[in-house]
Amino acid sequence: MQSEYVPAAVEQEAQAYWDAHRCFAAPEKPGARKFYCLSMFPYPSGRLHMGHVRNYTIGDAIARYRRMQGDQVLQPMGWDAFGLPAENAALERRVLPGAWTRSNIRAMREQLRKLGFGYDWERELATCDPDYYRWEQWFFIRLYEKGAAYRKKALVNWDPADRTVLANEQVIDGRGWRSGALVEQREVAQWFLRITDYAEQLLGDLEQLEGKWPPQVLQMQRNWIGRSRGAAIRFAVDGRDEPLEVFTTRPDTLMGTTYMALAPGHPLVQEIASKNNELNDFIKQSLKQAESEGRDKLGHPTGLVARHPLTGEPLPVWTANFVLMEYGSGAVMSVPAHDQRDWEFAKAYDLPIRQVVAPGDGAEADMEAGAFVEYGTLVNSGEYDGMGSEEAGAAIVEELAKRGQGEEVVRYRLHDWGVSRQRRWGCPVPMIHCPACGIVPVPDADLPVRLDEELPPAEALPEAWLNAACPRCGGAARRDTDTFDTFVESSWYQARFCSHDSEDAMLDERARHWLPVDQYIGGIEHAILHLLYARYFHKLMRDEGLVEGDEPFARLLTQGMVLKDGSKMSKSMGNAVDPEPLIERYGADTVRLFMLFASPPEHTLEWSDSGVEGCARFLKRLWRFACDHAQGGDVASVPEAELTPPQQELRRRLHETIRKAGNVIGRRHTFNTAIAANMELLNELLRFDDASAAGRTLVRECLSAMLRMLAPAVPHAAHVLWRELGFDGAVLGQPWPEADEAALQQSVERIAVQVNGKVRAELELPTDASEDEAGQAARNDAKVLRHIAGKTVVRMIWVPHKLVNLVVRDG
RNA sequence: GCCGAGAUGGCGGAAUCGGUAGACGCGCCGGACUCAAAAUCCGGUGGGGUAGCCCCCCGUGUGGGUUCGAGUCCCACUCUCGGUACCA
């Protein structure tokens, strides 16, 4: 055996073994306890970054740990392969997006293999494979057929130079991020998924995830869905048939309404503006401005007059820049006395402020200083005077309902999900537009609608691709030219991994076997969009009978960012550390060990070159120690009773380590402390100088347990050392070590002695010492005596196996 | 503003049932080996007092509280990080 640790050779040997024995293939075994461990799949940018390495190291360590617990583990890997960078690369380097993407996948797959992650590569998928997106198209058509997908015109960011829709993130200071052209708001017909139909479930089912997902992720999802309960109230408008509907969470303030405010994009405003130049100019101006809090409240009167639903009082109708078309109905009843924005607007345009709620404690609200926004007691509200806000609100809604002018409603911040993208490198929308029949889905038999991967994205789609016969009437028709948002692909990949090779169905019984994902691991940056969409898709698939259960990810671990010099590692910051040279220099095991040891998974991880060195040193020490032991030849096993006290102590330390490591990994995934415990144990072993048969037996017991405990973190070194030491089988298939209760027993133990809560001495007592014995020993201790001399012990606290606390008082 | 998480040595972090704060690693200091260096090994390392570590005092963001005993529980603050926001 090589007494010097050469990571490259070690890692090659271990990986060759795993490959040859298909160790990570995950067949379905009915009856076995399954564990589906999934790390968020990467976008194939071409190279792994340190964030990937951390993410996948954590996932792999958990998967390997569960396997040693006896679980049937599935851990797949794939590629989130559609997206803009491929199109940009195509434009910049004259390559095809598909070729570029696939070559990146090859490079990154090689990097993942070098790191020794235990993936079932037979299930690998890329979302740009027609076999994958075919089922996405199939499923979209099912959604369309049941009304869950629909097409409507929507305002979008339109880049006139690149002739495409841009995501909000791609608009910088009102200009397209690539073209630099001024972005226009344009109405374009787009596909939407009716996620708002599931808002209530998406919110309610978060309860199932309580304690299993990080609390901040649950809260972020709740905020994003943004449920609010309130009232829809309709105000008649003079000279119009249609009333104006508003949404308010404060119906109790209805009597304080002094004007109405509409979003500049409100249809009513748009209509009037077409005949009113001044108003039209105002709208144009206000639409141009980027939305931001704190900007001045600007408005313009529309000339319309609305009627208060209870009093009939005339209320001027304004358009105002602080009213959002995207929330509620794009119109608000303005109550300047009790809403700060309404108040500021009223001050700016000299509109009346009428207080109708007074502070509940009888204090005066200063209407000149600002709005009084809290709940309180009603005033100036006729029959509602004296009621509390909640009671009054309910009474007012009841009265409105009686008159047919309003009712209680629930509103969400969440909007339907616009999934159309005017991009080439994405999943084609499987729809045909027929002049006679309208929108007609592509028949299932004709799926997938394939992208033309040979066509450079800068070139226009050829007529041959665009033209299609209408599946319904057979007439000339055109294909939909949009592709899906790439978030659609990543919303169901976890299910397809289970049925990766199913040719006649999107999913099969294997998906029901493996789902839900038992442990999902990924970055917090996906806390809202990806995780919300994937939860939504799971419910859609459930309602189509494809999967069972309400949620796709039973447990979620969000790993912290990798920092260097205090800020996130990134190319743009210039502080990125490339994993590859590090693996070359130290080996995959050292990199993995550092990732797990430097901090707990959820925390940020501060990069440290010397920290990596420290991990490398530990592995070298472990290696050398194991080699030295192996060179000592075989050992005979010796009955436990014959152990000397130092041997017994080492054995106790071993089993304490086992207990601790199992505890912290199983309960909290804090590999850092499990590794630290093993480092301590190695330090003990290095001090343990005992070449007797019993001593060597004991060392062997320690090594056996240590290699198993370290295997999830440093699988290659553990694999080779396990074999070199002549243990049975491969360490990968071994059970996790179990702590031996008998070994944990000790005859004497160290007890702290406190006087008035301060530690003053340490005692060595028999483990079975009684309270009286402990008290006596404590009082007789010289150090303790100094602190109790001349005082009265009024009380003694006895915590068995831990401490004695003498409570003393002067005199 | 609102929501969430957090604050422990020079640094990353331990101590998650209220019971010896600072495990483990890094860094630093001293020593061994060496012609020398690297590597490796051994010892020390919260601050202060002090005849060296025999001991004593202080110490987990700040100020109070509960308790025999608080990093841990309660109240009030400060700061940091993350998310989100004219959401009616």
Side-chain angles (χ1 to χ4, degrees):
Chain A
M1 169 172 187
Q2 204 155 14
S3 65
E4 198 186 334
Y5 174 48
V6 183
V10 168
E11 287 165 13
Q12 214 165 24
E13 178 185 334
Q15 288 169 15
Y17 177 92
W18 298 331
D19 286 347
H21 293 79
R22 291 179 67 226
C23 287
F24 303 108
E28 291 74 23
K29 280 193 188 161
R33 191 174 55 190
K34 66 94 183 175
F35 191 86
Y36 183 1
C37 185
L38 184 66
S39 292
M40 291 180 184
F41 67 168
Y43 176 79
S45 58
R47 282 192 93 69
L48 289 183
H49 59 244
M50 219 42 100
H52 290 128
V53 175
R54 187 173 193 206
N55 191 161
Y56 302 145
T57 298
I58 294 166
D60 194 46
I62 293 173
R64 286 172 185 266
Y65 170 74
R66 297 304 305 210
R67 182 185 185 123
M68 297 179 78
Q69 294 291 315
D71 292 358
Q72 185 66 26
V73 172
L74 166 62
Q75 189 183 210
M77 182 44 72
W79 311 96
D80 190 11
F82 278 136
L84 210 48
E87 288 185 48
N88 295 339
L91 294 174
E92 284 157 18
R93 306 180 204 183
R94 295 166 178 256
V95 290
L96 291 165
W100 182 82
T101 301
R102 285 176 222 281
S103 117
N104 286 349
I105 288 175
R106 277 191 296 279
M108 289 174 80
R109 187 195 295 122
E110 196 44 45
Q111 290 189 300
L112 291 175
R113 282 180 175 279
K114 273 191 190 158
L115 281 157
F117 298 134
Y119 298 133
D120 181 355
W121 285 109
E122 291 165 34
R123 294 175 187 258
E124 179 183 2
L125 60 80
T127 56
C128 62
D129 293 340
D131 286 343
Y132 184 82
Y133 65 71
R134 165 190 182 173
W135 294 108
E136 186 165 306
Q137 294 172 337
W138 176 86
F139 191 63
F140 182 76
I141 291 166
R142 301 288 87 74
L143 296 179
Y144 174 72
E145 284 167 347
K146 70 178 197 180
Y150 64 95
R151 194 172 152 92
K152 75 160 191 203
K153 284 198 163 181
L155 272 183
V156 294
N157 303 309
W158 178 259
D159 184 326
D162 281 359
R163 299 172 52 80
T164 181
V165 167
L166 297 180
N168 286 333
E169 301 77 51
Q170 292 158 349
V171 181
I172 297 154
D173 293 334
R175 291 173 181 274
W177 67 299
R178 275 190 68 85
S179 68
L182 269 180
V183 167
E184 299 167 5
Q185 295 294 305
R186 214 189 244 204
E187 277 223 309
V188 175
Q190 305 251 79
W191 285 99
F192 287 85
L193 293 180
R194 228 180 272 282
I195 190 172
T196 49
D197 278 359
Y198 282 77
E200 201 63 50
Q201 281 188 51
L202 286 166
L203 188 67
D205 287 351
L206 288 173
E207 264 176 52
Q208 298 182 25
L209 305 173
E210 205 71 55
K212 301 174 179 176
W213 279 33
Q216 67 267 36
V217 175
L218 295 176
Q219 198 55 44
M220 280 159 78
Q221 294 231 338
R222 286 194 183 102
N223 293 343
W224 188 264
I225 296 165
R227 183 185 201 270
S228 53
R229 176 194 291 274
I233 303 177
R234 287 174 289 280
F235 291 68
V237 181
D238 287 0
R240 301 241 156 201
D241 297 335
E242 285 291 305
L244 193 56
E245 184 172 293
V246 304
F247 173 70
T248 180
T249 53
R250 292 294 300 275
D252 57 310
T253 65
L254 178 61
M255 304 308 275
T257 307
T258 58
Y259 64 99
M260 308 292 287
L262 309 187
H266 194 283
L268 200 50
V269 177
Q270 296 276 322
E271 184 198 317
I272 294 168
S274 65
K275 291 167 271 173
N276 178 336
N277 284 338
E278 242 179 276
L279 183 59
N280 199 30
D281 289 347
F282 169 80
I283 292 169
K284 273 193 184 157
Q285 280 236 304
S286 117
L287 283 178
K288 249 186 218 167
Q289 282 180 24
E291 274 170 29
S292 70
E293 189 189 7
R295 76 175 162 164
D296 290 339
K297 304 281 179 288
L298 297 176
H300 200 277
T302 63
L304 293 171
V305 174
R307 292 288 165 175
H308 193 285
L310 296 184
T311 65
E313 187 188 348
L315 303 166
V317 179
W318 287 65
T319 183
N321 65 350
F322 68 88
V323 182
L324 305 176
M325 197 57 221
E326 314 83 72
Y327 187 78
S329 54
V332 299
M333 58 178 228
S334 289
V335 186
H338 305 294
D339 181 284
Q340 187 59 26
R341 294 154 305 178
D342 296 348
W343 184 90
E344 285 170 29
F345 192 81
K347 283 287 176 195
Y349 292 96
D350 206 19
L351 293 157
I353 297 173
R354 184 188 304 150
Q355 182 182 3
V356 292
V357 181
D361 59 9
E364 283 281 311
D366 180 2
M367 284 293 130
E368 285 307 302
F372 173 69
V373 298
E374 332 243 301
Y375 279 14
T377 308
L378 269 75
V379 294
N380 303 326
S381 299
E383 59 183 291
Y384 305 105
D385 280 0
M387 289 185 183
S389 284
E390 296 201 40
E391 186 192 357
I396 287 170
V397 172
E398 196 180 325
E399 178 60 28
L400 288 169
K402 215 182 287 174
R403 300 172 178 222
Q405 289 179 296
E407 58 276 320
E408 191 179 299
V409 292
V410 168
R411 285 279 152 84
Y412 299 92
R413 211 186 75 106
L414 183 69
H415 289 75
D416 278 346
W417 175 14
V419 292
S420 297
R421 294 292 180 271
Q422 289 66 43
R423 309 248 177 256
R424 199 61 68 68
W425 184 237
C427 170
V429 175
M431 291 290 174
I432 290 170
H433 299 270
C434 170
C437 311
I439 294 171
V440 182
V442 172
D444 290 352
D446 296 346
L447 296 178
V449 177
R450 284 172 183 269
L451 297 163
D452 182 351
E453 287 204 23
E454 300 306 314
L455 187 69
E459 280 178 32
L461 287 165
E463 285 298 308
W465 190 91
L466 284 166
N467 291 323
C470 169
R472 194 162 298 160
C473 69
R478 306 278 280 183
R479 289 192 188 281
D480 198 303
T481 55
D482 284 350
T483 54
F484 288 129
D485 180 359
T486 57
F487 274 110
V488 178
E489 284 90 60
S490 56
S491 292
W492 67 284
Y493 77 111
Q494 73 283 353
R496 183 67 187 179
F497 272 134
C498 307
S499 307
H500 67 289
D501 57 359
S502 168
E503 285 175 11
D504 47 14
M506 179 183 184
L507 300 174
D508 55 26
E509 66 283 355
R510 292 174 293 173
R512 291 183 283 279
H513 172 82
W514 288 111
L515 290 173
V517 170
D518 294 278
Q519 181 69 60
Y520 198 32
I521 305 111
I524 186 88
E525 65 272 22
H526 296 108
I528 299 172
L529 292 182
H530 163 59
L531 288 168
L532 190 69
Y533 294 148
R535 294 181 59 225
Y536 168 52
F537 251 71
H538 186 88
K539 292 170 198 300
L540 289 172
M541 293 189 290
R542 176 200 62 194
D543 293 347
E544 283 293 305
L546 294 164
V547 297
E548 290 164 350
D550 298 327
E551 291 289 333
F553 309 117
R555 284 181 183 277
L556 173 68
L557 189 160
T558 48
Q559 99 270 4
M561 286 186 302
V562 181
L563 307 183
K564 183 160 182 220
D565 307 323
S567 53
K568 181 178 179 174
M569 241 187 217
S570 69
K571 248 190 239 169
S572 54
M573 290 285 296
N575 62 351
V577 176
D578 188 348
E580 186 123 8
L582 225 67
I583 297 168
E584 295 290 322
R585 178 158 175 207
Y586 296 103
D589 279 342
T590 293
V591 175
R592 294 172 58 121
L593 187 65
F594 175 73
M595 287 287 151
L596 295 173
F597 178 64
S599 64
E602 302 84 356
H603 285 206
T604 55
L605 180 151
E606 183 70 39
W607 183 260
S608 154
D609 291 328
S610 48
V612 177
E613 295 272 1
C615 289
R617 270 198 286 273
F618 168 72
L619 281 181
K620 273 189 236 171
R621 267 202 301 268
L622 174 68
W623 189 271
R624 200 176 325 115
F625 179 80
C627 288
D628 289 350
H629 176 79
Q631 271 158 12
D634 289 344
V635 294
S637 86
V638 171
E640 193 183 316
E642 295 174 22
L643 296 182
T644 64
Q647 290 167 349
Q648 275 176 22
E649 175 59 13
L650 179 63
R651 188 147 194 279
R652 196 183 59 79
R653 300 285 289 249
L654 164 65
H655 286 274
E656 223 156 54
T657 306
I658 293 171
R659 186 171 61 177
K660 168 153 199 197
N663 238 326
V664 296
I665 296 176
R667 293 207 342 251
R668 296 189 287 148
H669 295 136
T670 45
F671 291 96
N672 55 327
T673 52
I675 293 165
N678 276 282
M679 287 176 169
E680 270 184 87
L681 185 58
L682 180 62
N683 292 342
E684 283 299 313
L685 284 167
L686 289 165
R687 276 190 285 267
F688 182 75
D689 188 18
D690 181 347
S692 70
R696 289 179 43 72
T697 305
L698 188 51
V699 168
R700 193 176 159 80
E701 186 189 351
C702 288
L703 280 169
S704 160
M706 280 176 82
L707 292 179
R708 282 179 285 158
M709 285 188 277
L710 291 169
V714 292
H716 309 91
H719 174 88
V720 174
L721 285 176
W722 184 266
R723 184 183 55 68
E724 291 290 339
L725 286 165
F727 292 119
D728 288 342
V731 71
L732 182 76
Q734 300 304 311
W736 187 259
E738 272 186 53
D740 176 357
E741 282 303 318
L744 288 167
Q745 299 303 318
Q746 43 186 343
S747 54
V748 292
E749 59 193 3
R750 301 187 84 76
I751 299 288
V753 183
Q754 298 180 337
V755 178
N756 285 350
K758 292 194 176 197
V759 179
R760 297 299 183 186
E762 220 174 56
L763 292 178
E764 204 156 81
L765 288 180
T767 307
D768 55 3
S770 69
E771 179 168 355
D772 284 348
E773 287 164 341
Q776 273 309 317
R779 279 168 218 243
N780 291 335
D781 186 274
K783 290 177 191 169
V784 175
L785 276 169
R786 260 205 297 274
H787 293 277
I788 61 173
K791 300 183 180 176
T792 314
V793 176
V794 294
R795 195 175 158 193
M796 187 182 112
I797 311 286
W798 164 238
V799 184
H801 314 298
K802 290 232 159 121
L803 60 75
V804 170
N805 186 11
L806 301 174
V807 185
V808 301
R809 187 171 67 199
D810 287 334

